[in-house]
Each structure stands twice: as C-alpha cells, then as structure tokens.
Amino acid sequence: MVSFAAVTDEPPPEVAAAGHDRCIVNLQPENVGRWLTPEGRRSAELQAILDPKQRPYYEYAIAA
C-alpha cells in the first residue's frame, strides 16, 4: 500500500491570517529518521520528536 500522513499543528500567525486553521509540522532534519522508524519507541518519545519544529515564515498573496 502506498500512502502518507501529514502531521499538523496550530498555524503560525501569518498562516492563520491567510485563513488556515492548521499547518504542517516541519521536522528537524536530524529527527526524520527517528520519526520514520517508530518501532520500539514510546509515544512520549515520538511526541518529543515533533516538539522542536522548524518555523519557516510563510508568505502569501491573494490571487487575482
């Protein structure tokens, strides 16, 4: 089966201002491998992987 899931969180202010109520969680690059190999990890450890998020600034423009 080919599939995917997107983990979301509360949006930063600029995303909320564009009208969105959720935003993709951007994992730190060093945590990607740990997130993709969850076997044997406790839920608290997996949750901790999501905590140090990258915080890019998102820009948007209203389409004409």
Side-chain angles (χ1 to χ4, degrees):
M1 175 197 275
V2 177
S3 66
F4 74 95
V7 179
T8 64
D9 198 2
E10 297 295 321
E14 69 275 12
V15 174
H20 298 286
D21 64 348
R22 303 298 293 167
C23 191
I24 295 285
V25 170
N26 291 296
L27 293 177
Q28 296 289 338
E30 61 271 15
N31 289 334
V32 172
R34 291 175 41 218
W35 179 256
L36 293 175
T37 55
E39 298 83 17
R41 300 183 194 281
R42 295 177 166 215
S43 60
E45 181 182 357
L46 292 169
Q47 185 64 43
I49 292 170
L50 297 175
D51 289 338
K53 301 170 192 74
Q54 295 187 65
R55 292 289 185 186
Y57 180 80
Y58 297 95
E59 292 186 22
Y60 70 95
I62 298 176

